[in-house]
Amino acid sequence: MIEFGNIIHNATCDAIKTLYDADINNDLIQIQETRQEFEGDFTIVVFPFLKISKKNPEVTGTEIGNYLVQNCEIIEKFNIIKGFLNLSIKKEHWLNFLNSLSTIESFGTQPSKSSGTKFMVEYSSPNTNKPLHLGHVRNNLLGYALSNLLEANGHEVIKVNLINDRGIHICKSMLAWQKWGKGITPESSGKKGDHLVGDFYVKFDLEYKKQIKELTDSGIPQEEAEKKAPLIIEAQDMLLKWEALDEEVTSLWKMMNGWVYSGFEDTYKKMGVNFDRIYYESQTYLLGKAIVQKGLEKGVLYQRPDNSVWIDLTADGLDEKLLLRSDGTSVYMTQDLGTAAQRFDEYHMDELIYVVGNEQNYHFQVLSLVMEKLGYDWAKNLKHMSYGMVELPSGKMKSREGTVVDADDLVDEMVKTAHDMSMELGKLDEYTTEQTKEIVNMIGMAALKYFILKVDPKKNMLFDPKESIDFNGNTGPFIQYSYARIQSIFRKASELNLNISDSETVPSEKELKLLKVIYRFPSVVADAGKNLSPAMIANYVYELSKEFNQFYHECPILKEEDQGLRNLRLHLSEQTGKIIKKSMNLLGIDVPERM
RNA sequence: GGUUCCGUAGCUCAGUUGGAUAGAGCAACAGCCUUCUAAGCUGUGGGUCGCGCGUUCGAAUCGCGCCGGAAUCACCA
């Protein structure tokens, strides 16, 4: 791998040593790509050297520039504007770079598990009482893309899902089914299991609200009515039976959860995400109590007169936090303490990343602080990848108000729109229904995935269904289109019996512009991995695609008569295609060979 | 009230160890299909980077203080 940046960096060190007899701090040497409007390829900022050279920026720049031209093999010439030393790399070295790409099997990414670092990424983590919605979509896409990104940086990654399969919420669905839906199954109703169970959850809520209203109408205060409604009492009763392993409740629970799982499985498959291991809360919710016990013995935690257990975090600017209820049962935090400890014991990973919405920022802040106070040395390796809410033009999504966007509906609608759009443009005329289906599916999913992944995770984002379906501009389909065009060129080239070989023709400015974007790929992957930001990849691949489209319009490829130039352009297109595909795959997005 | 996060063009968003004249897309307007895929390309207009002060040769980026918005601070998960 040719790295101009490193070469220039080292040469600059030598220059300063020779010219000013000074050893320079590494981070004082700033090398960046030269901006479009100036001549040159890389730019050294000379301001930081002025204290050493004791000369003005122009003189200092000139001295360093002269040194580099004489002593650094790859540099052809330089110019100085203000305090910026712009260096031009000899064209033949750019050519070498391009030629080297075909022999590097994994340009931009690190070989699998080469870093020796192991990550566990927990994402998705749904409840089993209702289908997945738009918020889960952002979670799933981020979690999956993040895992790919870590792998591309050479880390080992274990993807896990913690399914919240127990609790009062699922009892509500179960109860509603018992009362108003006995006998109805996904098969009999033709409904996806998770949707069916979700319907009963909604039904419960509806009837529950009716009961509350009846009670408040008869003069009972709202708060009391919410607790005394017969339905909620029955649901709580059912939860107790579940915890007592009541046979009837357990088998109902197993059946209905089974429906939900097959529904989820379906949605995950459509979204193209997967897991290496699935945890069920019903099997982990008792974990953590032993840890709390130990914490009590150590004096890190304390017990109140009513027997509830707490930790005082006020010294760290947080509050007091409950870890065990007065009746001895555990809370969410307790479980998370237990599961984290269990996972580190079992997998010995270096980091555990939770992909969870930003409404739980406080929870994870507390989690790692508690772990630290309890003396676990891996506490600092618990990371929370926090993402913002997805808002709709009409406001926030609220399941109660029916303003949620269902994940399955959304996927179907994106694919349908892709289909309509493609037909209208006459893009699919020559394909079989099977091929059409496959292509249209890829396009619809790309539109959805890219729309969500291009936004910085930590920001709240606005999801406008209309705009998300737009396939022009900065969208997934546009990037796919660029790729499909490249493939089209190759099909034509092979019909013409044109083989791509190493290039010998010196690239002009137009080819160089594209080549420079390609050059950046490895550093983008590394930065994105460091910052846990799939969005950095998304924005890069858009830039590359856009650059290619301009190139495509400005530079004839197959029609170019000069054989060397034609080969160079083909070669460039080939590498561009590879990187687009690789980038999109990191995001979990497929690219079609034609569209 | 405490803590955390956000504020960049009419709208949606990039801009990451502080660097040159802050960039895209959408929307608007004007062009380009006998030419490798027009889901494309070119051009025009559009900005007090929330506000102020500070650090610096240099600030959208760092610090402090305001203003505006979001989340959270449960014996819920």
Side-chain angles (χ1 to χ4, degrees):
Chain A
M1 176 58 210
I2 297 172
E3 290 194 37
F4 299 127
N6 279 349
I7 297 171
I8 295 169
H9 187 281
N10 294 338
T12 307
C13 266
D14 294 345
I16 286 165
K17 179 100 182 130
T18 311
L19 292 168
Y20 311 121
D21 193 28
D23 285 311
I24 192 161
N25 196 335
N26 262 346
D27 39 318
L28 282 184
I29 302 180
Q30 296 176 48
I31 295 166
Q32 50 200 253
E33 279 140 58
T34 303
R35 292 177 63 122
Q36 216 25 253
E37 57 269 35
F38 303 106
E39 188 189 356
D41 300 317
F42 293 92
T43 296
I44 299 174
V45 184
V46 302
F47 290 110
F49 310 147
L50 302 185
K51 277 184 193 146
I52 296 166
S53 72
K54 303 207 168 60
K55 291 169 186 168
N56 71 38
E58 284 74 19
V59 175
T60 309
T62 307
E63 288 178 349
I64 296 172
N66 278 325
Y67 178 93
L68 291 177
V69 168
Q70 281 159 29
N71 298 285
C72 184
E73 209 278 308
I74 63 170
I75 291 170
E76 187 186 8
K77 56 182 176 179
F78 71 93
N79 67 80
I80 294 158
I81 295 169
K82 296 187 195 171
F84 298 93
L85 170 59
N86 299 324
L87 305 168
S88 298
I89 304 287
K90 286 180 190 160
K91 296 277 202 299
E92 69 210 60
H93 287 280
W94 279 114
L95 202 55
N96 289 343
F97 164 69
L98 176 61
N99 288 333
S100 73
L101 292 182
S102 23
T103 59
I104 302 170
E105 69 290 354
S106 61
F107 172 64
T109 58
Q110 303 303 313
S112 180
K113 301 182 186 177
S114 59
S115 75
T117 308
K118 198 194 277 187
F119 285 79
M120 179 177 282
V121 177
E122 179 191 301
Y123 71 101
S124 202
S125 306
N127 291 352
T128 55
N129 62 325
K130 54 190 175 214
L132 303 177
H133 58 69
L134 186 48
H136 294 116
V137 174
R138 191 176 196 186
N139 183 308
N140 290 344
L141 298 181
L142 280 172
Y144 186 71
L146 174 66
S147 303
N148 288 343
L149 196 48
L150 291 170
E151 274 170 2
N153 278 283
H155 309 309
E156 185 179 349
V157 178
I158 306 153
K159 290 172 278 190
V160 306
N161 189 0
L162 174 60
I163 296 181
N164 182 4
D165 61 343
R166 64 163 287 280
I168 191 75
H169 57 87
I170 181 69
C171 288
K172 288 178 181 177
S173 293
M174 284 156 63
L175 192 63
W177 183 85
Q178 264 187 347
K179 283 186 179 299
W180 302 292
K182 246 188 169 146
I184 299 180
T185 65
E187 291 75 29
S188 77
S189 64
K191 265 205 168 142
K192 229 168 136 261
D194 50 338
H195 287 253
L196 184 66
V197 171
D199 288 349
F200 285 110
Y201 184 72
V202 170
K203 176 73 175 165
F204 175 92
D205 206 52
L206 206 74
E207 297 295 330
Y208 176 42
K209 278 194 177 129
K210 270 192 213 163
Q211 289 186 349
I212 293 173
K213 183 147 194 325
E214 276 168 28
L215 290 171
T216 50
D217 285 351
S218 66
I220 297 171
Q222 177 78 19
E223 215 171 291
E224 200 184 331
E226 284 175 14
K227 283 182 190 154
K228 287 204 165 157
L231 270 176
I232 195 72
I233 290 174
E234 274 189 84
Q236 280 159 352
D237 190 46
M238 193 182 242
L239 182 59
L240 288 179
K241 280 186 181 163
W242 181 89
E243 281 176 6
L245 303 175
D246 177 276
E247 207 169 301
E248 193 192 340
V249 172
T250 306
S251 71
L252 176 60
W253 173 76
K254 278 185 182 159
M255 178 178 76
M256 288 182 75
N257 270 345
W259 297 347
V260 174
Y261 297 147
S262 72
F264 283 172
E265 195 48 47
D266 205 56
T267 308
Y268 286 143
K269 209 170 174 186
K270 270 197 275 188
M271 291 185 40
V273 305
N274 54 51
F275 305 93
D276 300 308
R277 164 129 188 214
I278 295 180
Y279 291 91
Y280 297 92
E281 208 187 288
S282 56
Q283 289 160 19
T284 61
Y285 80 107
L286 294 175
L287 291 173
K289 287 192 187 184
I291 293 176
V292 171
Q293 230 7 276
K294 252 189 261 165
L296 270 176
E297 287 158 20
K298 276 177 143 180
V300 179
L301 313 179
Y302 71 93
Q303 201 154 22
R304 288 186 182 175
D306 67 357
N307 281 332
S308 57
V309 179
W310 296 74
I311 184 163
D312 184 357
L313 300 172
T314 47
D316 298 275
L318 304 176
D319 299 291
E320 289 176 89
K321 188 82 191 170
L322 176 88
L323 294 178
L324 224 48
R325 292 190 187 102
S326 49
D327 63 5
T329 56
S330 54
V331 290
Y332 181 38
M333 183 61 70
T334 327
Q335 297 172 40
D336 265 2
L337 297 175
T339 50
Q342 191 197 44
R343 289 171 184 182
F344 274 97
D345 274 351
E346 187 177 348
Y347 288 100
H348 303 287
M349 62 275 189
D350 298 279
E351 275 189 33
L352 172 52
I353 301 178
Y354 297 92
V355 181
V356 179
N358 63 10
E359 70 271 13
Q360 294 193 32
N361 284 356
Y362 183 75
H363 173 80
F364 286 102
Q365 205 182 335
V366 171
L367 178 65
S368 79
L369 190 56
V370 171
M371 282 305 197
E372 192 187 315
K373 288 193 183 294
L374 289 173
Y376 292 91
D377 53 1
W378 42 257
K380 59 185 184 311
N381 301 327
L382 294 174
K383 297 259 164 70
H384 176 201
M385 188 208 202
S386 166
Y387 61 90
M389 296 191 128
V390 185
E391 285 164 23
L392 299 171
S394 54
K396 280 185 200 128
M397 290 198 299
K398 294 248 165 75
S399 37
R400 272 169 277 137
E401 293 162 21
T403 51
V404 278
V405 174
D406 179 79
D408 294 312
D409 293 349
L410 180 60
V411 166
D412 292 347
E413 197 188 335
M414 296 301 286
V415 172
K416 184 181 177 302
T417 308
H419 182 265
D420 296 347
M421 209 90 133
S422 304
M423 293 308 263
E424 201 178 307
L425 289 167
K427 296 269 181 190
L428 302 168
D429 296 347
E430 52 197 274
Y431 303 127
T432 63
T433 19
E434 204 49 41
Q435 287 171 317
T436 300
K437 209 178 145 189
E438 194 186 334
I439 294 170
V440 149
N441 191 46
M442 279 191 208
I443 297 173
M445 289 312 295
L448 174 60
K449 290 180 176 180
Y450 185 83
F451 187 86
I452 287 176
L453 287 172
K454 73 174 175 184
V455 181
D456 179 356
K458 69 173 179 290
K459 288 184 178 177
N460 286 358
M461 67 174 290
L462 187 82
F463 184 84
D464 185 342
K466 277 187 216 132
E467 198 187 326
S468 72
I469 284 169
D470 191 350
F471 293 164
N472 300 314
N474 189 355
T475 65
F478 167 79
I479 296 162
Q480 291 178 317
Y481 178 65
S482 311
Y483 180 79
R485 265 183 162 172
I486 292 170
Q487 302 319 304
S488 174
I489 291 170
F490 294 146
R491 284 193 294 272
K492 292 245 159 69
S494 85
E495 280 171 25
L496 297 169
N497 286 320
L498 298 177
N499 294 317
I500 304 170
S501 53
D502 275 4
S503 301
E504 285 165 17
T505 304
V506 177
S508 74
E509 287 309 314
K510 284 174 180 173
E511 285 89 24
L512 258 185
K513 220 174 137 206
L514 181 56
L515 190 54
K516 283 182 191 175
V517 181
I518 292 174
Y519 174 82
R520 274 173 35 211
F521 181 60
S523 66
V524 170
V525 174
D527 285 350
K530 227 178 288 161
N531 294 307
L532 307 183
S533 172
M536 291 175 75
I537 301 284
N539 287 295
Y540 167 79
V541 69
Y542 170 66
E543 193 184 332
L544 178 62
S545 302
K546 192 170 157 59
E547 193 60 51
F548 179 79
N549 271 297
Q550 288 169 8
F551 176 76
Y552 177 92
H553 279 271
E554 286 172 17
C555 304
I557 298 170
L558 298 174
K559 297 205 173 88
E560 175 57 50
E561 307 225 326
D562 181 307
Q563 244 183 60
L565 190 53
R566 187 178 59 209
N567 182 62
L568 172 68
R569 288 176 177 173
L570 263 172
H571 195 169
L572 260 176
S573 304
E574 181 191 42
Q575 297 306 324
T576 303
K578 273 193 197 167
I579 292 170
I580 289 178
K581 185 170 187 174
K582 212 179 238 188
S583 303
M584 291 294 263
N585 288 345
L586 286 180
L587 299 174
I589 303 175
D590 292 323
V591 286
E593 296 300 303
R594 54 188 84 203
M595 68 185 271

